[in-house]
Amino acid sequence: MSQQASKQDVVIRVRSLCNRFGSTEVHKNLDLDLYRREILGVVGGSGTGKSVLLRSIVGLLQPDSGVIEVFGQELQALSPDQRSRVERRFGVLFQSGALFSSLTLQENVALPLIEHARLSRNDAEHLARVKLALVGLPANASVMVPAQLSGGMVKRAALARALALDPEVLFLDEPTAGLDPIGAAAFDRLIVTLRDALGFSVFLVTHDLDTLYSTCDRVAVLSNKRVLVEGPLETVEATDDPWIRDYFHGPRGRAVHRARTATTGNVE
């Protein structure tokens, strides 16, 4: 995605964002854009505020200062009703899945359809089963509760709930955390397939190098309270910074490169 994209291509625009917790400053004058239909990976060391940034954008955290524009509207300037309508265009998948443990999967996915789309219970649960099938879960999973599922199935069910209202932007917080390599790779492929089919944008917080290389159009690196660099992976990899060298060119980074070379046959 070109950085010269038109204003119409920008779905989220963050400018001069500042977040503090007491005397600790997490973000200072942070700028970042998310473009239409792209998958943006957000990475950084521990404590750089990746999840804090996500929570600021989706409205779970009020920034200390700065501007967050979503679909051309400044979130902080909207009334509660206006803001709620904008936020319904988001889908969010938290790291733990955050499913209601006492509800079946179809009930979990149906809940936002009943509360926000005002569908009847029967219609909502029918559509919930469609969403569960869309993310690759078998039909019998719809009547299971989260405790009966594997970690990978919980992630997929949480993704189905995030997609319940047909969002234009999907937020993913460490979506492959806790998954085995095969399950993580399958989940990565699923995200790309759904993005291509449904046309939403993805804001992806991750530490998983395989996920970055498999899914992301651009990557933004958080460091020193701001975005250190953002762009295609080859641009980010070439940045002269100690953390970037350790992350992309350390032992794990080299292992990912070797694996991708073996898979694709390309010489890097």
Side-chain angles (χ1 to χ4, degrees), residues 175-253:
T176 57
L179 298 183
D180 63 79
I182 294 174
F187 197 89
D188 289 341
R189 290 193 297 271
L190 176 63
I191 293 300
V192 174
T193 298
L194 291 174
R195 186 280 307 266
D196 292 345
L198 303 177
F200 49 70
S201 305
V202 180
F203 185 101
L204 167 64
V205 171
T206 187
H207 68 279
D208 191 327
L209 278 165
D210 287 308
T211 294
L212 292 181
Y213 284 100
S214 299
T215 67
C216 294
D217 301 300
R218 285 191 307 132
V219 173
V221 178
L222 301 192
S223 180
N224 296 322
K225 308 173 188 177
R226 61 185 177 86
V227 176
L228 173 66
V229 61
E230 57 85 16
L233 268 165
E234 56 268 23
T235 299
V236 173
E237 287 177 320
T239 301
D240 186 15
D241 174 81
W243 187 87
I244 288 177
R245 285 197 301 272
D246 289 344
Y247 184 69
F248 286 99
H249 304 292
R252 290 188 65 195

Side-chain angles (χ1 to χ4, degrees), residues 12 17 25 29 47 53 142 155 158 173 189 205 211 250:
I12 293 175
L17 184 73
E25 194 170 47
N29 297 326
L53 175 58
S142 65
K155 296 278 189 180
D173 190 2
R189 290 193 297 271
V205 171
T211 294

Side-chain angles (χ1 to χ4, degrees), residues 62-142:
Q62 177 67 37
D64 289 278
S65 62
V67 174
I68 299 174
E69 291 183 0
V70 181
F71 311 120
Q73 302 180 78
E74 185 178 343
L75 283 185
Q76 293 90 329
L78 299 178
S79 69
D81 284 346
Q82 291 171 323
R83 184 164 180 151
S84 178
R85 285 195 291 272
V86 169
E87 291 170 352
R88 287 176 201 169
R89 298 164 74 180
F90 297 161
V92 184
L93 191 160
F94 296 104
Q95 183 174 339
S96 65
L99 296 173
F100 292 104
S101 60
S102 61
L103 300 182
T104 65
L105 297 195
Q106 71 179 17
E107 289 170 337
N108 266 281
V109 179
L111 194 59
L113 294 165
I114 295 169
E115 290 190 350
H116 299 299
R118 305 299 182 189
L119 295 185
S120 69
R121 183 184 178 92
N122 284 341
D123 287 345
E125 291 192 351
H126 171 75
L127 189 52
R129 290 191 292 273
V130 173
K131 299 291 184 179
L132 291 166
L134 184 67
V135 300
L137 287 172
N140 67 328
S142 65

